[in-house]
Amino acid sequence: MLCFVVSVLTIQVLLGAASPLESSKAPKGCLRLSTDEDFPSAEAWKSALPTVIKNNNTVNVGPDYRIQVKSASDVEKAIKFAKDSNVRLSIITSGHDALARSTAASGLLIDLSLLKGIKVHESFTPTTQGEASVLGQKANVIVPKDGIQAAVTFGAGTTADTLYNALHPSKLFPMTAGHGEVSVAGGWGQFGGHGAFTHLFGLGVDQWLEAKVVTAEGLKIANKLVNPDLFWAIRGGGGGTFGVVVEATMKVYPDAPITGFNWWINATAPTTPEGKKQFEAATAYVLSQLPELHNKGIGGPTYAVAGHALRGFTMHYGNESGTVKANAAWKPVLDKLETLPGMTKFQTRPYNFKNFKEFYDTTFGMEDEMMKKVKRDLFKRHGPGAAGSMPKNYGLAAMDTHLLGADHLKSPKLMEQLSKQGNSWIMIMAAPRPGVGDIEETSVNPSWRKAVVHYVGMGLPSTVRTVAPEMGAYGNEATNIEPNWQEAFWGSNYKKLVDIKTKYDPDHLFWVSPGVKADYMSVQNGRLCKVSSPPAVKATDTAPITDNVTPAQVSVLIERFGKNELIGGFPAPGKYVGLQS
């Protein structure tokens, strides 16, 4: 992939952002910008939201103001001000969205990182009144009961590492993202949410029991008894779309021993035509075995490294843990790999962990050097406290994703397409096993219920999707030019999600792209404007570009379409369509 670094000035030019020297008023149906004569004054911001902070946007394109809320009431006031003032609204928790949907190029950013508090439940029964607020509450300790589903209520600012540390004394653990700094109830939990044990216990969307959501109308309880349509929508429809989740109640699970099983094998001559064929044959064999391993309750990633090595790391939980059982599960596959030509002797190394916390702290919970660098850069750009309310990923990587089932992993066509994708990709056995999670209870793409792996590549939309055109893509780790985006991210659930979005947010106050009804708004001269009517969607269409395109996204656009084909930063009419194989 072309390595293309775009300066912020270049991005602003590509977006067609208004010059700071210009003065105007927002056209009808459009949101105000800070360059408009009628943009709220600094005094108006402070009067309505006393704790609001003006952002330093001299270097980074970002919201004009941000507020770190401490209660649902704070969120309601912030939403009302944004609505009354006709300014852009964006919501952030931990800010790990690779497509930077948790920020915007103007307006108000609501930062949920201070909404913390935890209550552990021996069991949980939803009511129409909803669970009492736990914000500011220190986690309690319970004794789980056999056969009874335990649960936890927590503030939206609670990250994965905070949650599993709080549950550990109760010998419980949650479904969370792989990175410990990701907030559980934000975009991760609202757009699917895969993790180390989602193959056993279900996706993040399968864990919800209740939520408190501040919509454009105010605070609402959402569970199976009250506002069930909203409850369904936030379990798959995506974050920042229907309202602001301020508290969540989710299922948690009994702690148990865990074995992490590493294996890797190298190609002896990957640069020769024969060696490449041998490596691809070995890869095809491994991928064909993943469905059976997945059915046995094994999850984790298998990945190709620089076109010369295959590696895997799988998790074995509870009764399936232990070196002996982990070795036995992989022995037939690894024995076969040893016999294939052109492959070196494989190596394995099991890790036995006493409990989930030990596993998570050692394997996934550590902050990597890349994230430390991002934090340092954020501090330089925006000063103290910025790391808590600015996107962590900051568009550093352009990812691609697709879901694949058992038949696809065994298809000869898969290896043909992977060979076109360059040297590196990951296949993660993170999809729930058959029977785990209810397809009717969540709005996540139903393809997750038929999938074995979640394929992740880097750069442009891959031709891997041509192997499984009936399957979908994971919106949290996606490309911004995903073809047929509505079908890809939500499948048959999209029409119902549109109806619910219309009910709870008729004025499009909450807008992200890709997101439900994203095509009801468009970026015009750097500002968001309503469209007179949404365009008819074709199978090749891609989601609207946002008002805050990241350097990585611009790089993808330039590589896909060529710099000369872009008009105002976007492909010319008729060119911004999905890829054909």
Side-chain angles (χ1 to χ4, degrees):
M1 175 178 175
L2 173 68
C3 179
F4 191 90
V5 179
V6 183
S7 69
V8 172
L9 178 60
T10 301
I11 296 174
Q12 290 174 326
V13 171
L14 288 172
L15 286 171
S19 166
L21 300 177
E22 296 176 0
S23 182
S24 61
K25 288 186 178 181
K28 184 178 180 180
C30 297
L31 300 182
R32 290 172 175 162
L33 297 178
S34 60
T35 53
D36 294 332
E37 296 174 354
D38 52 354
F39 189 78
S41 66
E43 292 77 17
W45 284 91
K46 279 291 185 180
S47 176
L49 307 171
T51 60
V52 77
I53 300 171
K54 184 173 176 59
N55 273 334
N56 172 18
N57 288 333
T58 58
V59 178
N60 175 43
V61 177
D64 302 290
Y65 289 86
R66 63 184 172 96
I67 181 170
Q68 289 188 295
V69 294
K70 296 182 179 180
S71 66
S73 176
D74 287 349
V75 176
E76 289 182 283
K77 292 175 183 176
I79 290 174
K80 184 179 187 305
F81 181 79
K83 183 178 181 179
D84 292 346
S85 302
N86 192 35
V87 298
R88 179 84 155 90
L89 181 66
S90 50
I91 302 104
I92 195 168
T93 43
S94 56
H96 285 78
D97 181 40
L99 295 184
R101 286 165 292 197
S102 53
T103 187
S106 65
L108 175 62
L109 177 71
I110 300 178
D111 174 8
L112 307 179
S113 61
L114 298 183
L115 296 181
K116 296 181 179 178
I118 296 174
K119 179 182 179 181
V120 188
H121 308 271
E122 291 181 4
S123 64
F124 183 83
T125 302
T127 65
T128 56
Q129 294 77 29
E131 178 68 18
S133 176
V134 302
L135 296 181
Q137 185 171 318
K138 185 179 179 180
N140 57 312
V141 179
I142 69 162
V143 178
K145 297 179 180 179
D146 291 341
I148 297 179
Q149 178 67 63
V152 62
T153 301
F154 55 95
T158 305
T159 57
D161 52 6
T162 300
L163 192 57
Y164 69 70
N165 281 331
L167 289 166
H168 178 63
S170 296
K171 297 182 179 180
L172 295 165
F173 73 96
M175 293 298 101
T176 65
H179 198 294
E181 289 189 345
V182 175
S183 64
V184 182
W188 181 86
Q190 294 179 53
F191 213 153
H194 73 78
F197 296 99
T198 51
H199 61 291
L200 291 178
F201 300 107
L203 298 168
V205 295
D206 294 318
Q207 313 310 318
W208 294 81
L209 296 170
E210 183 175 284
K212 293 185 179 71
V213 189
V214 181
T215 69
E217 298 176 343
L219 180 64
K220 295 184 182 296
I221 303 300
N223 58 37
K224 65 181 182 181
L225 300 178
V226 59
N227 298 311
D229 55 349
L230 178 62
F231 188 48
W232 180 84
I234 64 171
R235 291 178 291 163
T241 300
F242 303 93
V244 181
V245 172
V246 292
E247 294 184 56
T249 302
M250 294 186 176
K251 301 173 185 177
V252 291
Y253 299 92
D255 215 341
I258 294 166
T259 297
F261 188 81
N262 274 290
W263 64 266
W264 59 98
I265 185 167
N266 297 321
T268 56
T271 60
T272 67
E274 183 62 24
K276 185 175 183 292
K277 289 181 180 178
Q278 292 171 340
F279 178 69
E280 290 180 356
T283 301
Y285 168 70
V286 172
L287 296 181
S288 73
Q289 301 305 300
L290 296 184
E292 184 177 350
L293 292 165
H294 181 253
N295 285 337
K296 292 179 179 178
I298 297 172
T302 297
Y303 50 101
V305 182
H308 64 75
L310 281 178
R311 295 190 178 183
F313 179 76
T314 53
M315 282 74 74
H316 304 251
Y317 166 85
N319 292 334
E320 299 304 316
S321 65
T323 301
V324 172
K325 288 189 176 181
N327 276 322
W330 276 101
K331 188 177 187 304
V333 178
L334 298 179
D335 283 352
K336 174 69 173 179
L337 278 175
E338 273 197 295
T339 69
L340 298 180
M343 306 302 292
T344 61
K345 180 177 175 61
F346 69 85
Q347 295 173 285
T348 63
R349 183 180 179 185
Y351 296 83
N352 291 311
F353 305 100
K354 292 181 295 185
N355 50 53
F356 179 82
K357 185 178 186 303
E358 185 179 275
F359 159 79
Y360 207 95
D361 285 344
T362 304
T363 309
F364 288 116
M366 296 182 294
E367 183 176 72
D368 56 43
E369 288 303 314
M370 178 180 175
M371 290 311 304
K372 290 178 181 177
K373 181 180 184 303
V374 171
K375 281 187 173 181
R376 291 193 295 268
D377 290 346
L378 287 170
F379 184 91
K380 291 177 183 177
R381 290 175 183 135
H382 306 285
S389 59
M390 295 301 291
K392 303 292 191 299
N393 284 6
Y394 198 59
L396 291 174
M399 292 190 288
D400 187 28
T401 176
H402 205 70
L403 299 171
L404 300 173
D407 291 344
H408 311 120
L409 290 169
K410 297 175 181 180
S411 170
K413 294 181 181 179
L414 178 58
M415 202 61 238
E416 293 174 10
Q417 301 306 325
L418 287 176
S419 66
K420 300 177 182 179
Q421 295 310 121
N423 294 327
S424 300
W425 47 260
I426 307 174
M427 299 282 186
I428 309 173
M429 287 190 289
R433 287 196 299 167
V436 176
D438 191 326
I439 192 172
E440 300 295 332
E441 289 186 356
T442 66
S443 53
V444 72
N445 191 322
S447 290
W448 272 106
R449 310 303 177 184
K450 300 179 289 184
V452 172
V453 303
H454 160 45
Y455 159 83
V456 181
M458 304 302 289
L460 298 177
S462 80
T463 54
V464 166
R465 60 186 25 83
T466 64
V467 179
E470 77 281 14
M471 300 290 279
Y474 179 38
N476 278 343
E477 294 171 359
T479 172
N480 60 312
I481 55 175
E482 173 71 41
N484 193 19
W485 61 284
Q486 297 172 347
E487 177 72 20
F489 296 137
W490 295 283
S492 58
N493 288 329
Y494 187 72
K495 185 180 183 302
K496 183 178 176 181
L497 284 167
V498 167
D499 293 340
I500 297 171
K501 168 77 170 172
T502 302
K503 173 183 176 180
Y504 287 96
D505 185 25
D507 297 321
H508 312 295
L509 183 62
F510 302 100
W511 187 86
V512 295
S513 185
V516 175
K517 293 187 73 173
D519 52 340
Y520 281 65
M521 304 281 281
S522 67
V523 178
Q524 300 178 19
N525 296 320
R527 71 173 86 228
L528 271 182
C529 300
K530 294 178 182 178
V531 299
S532 56
S533 60
V537 177
K538 300 184 292 294
T540 53
D541 280 346
T542 51
I545 289 291
T546 73
D547 53 341
N548 198 29
V549 176
T550 69
Q553 292 170 331
V554 172
S555 174
V556 168
L557 289 172
I558 289 175
E559 182 178 351
R560 171 66 182 94
F561 300 102
K563 190 172 182 179
N564 294 333
E565 297 290 349
L566 299 181
I567 299 176
F570 311 116
K575 289 186 177 289
Y576 193 49
V577 296
L579 302 181
Q580 303 296 320
S581 61

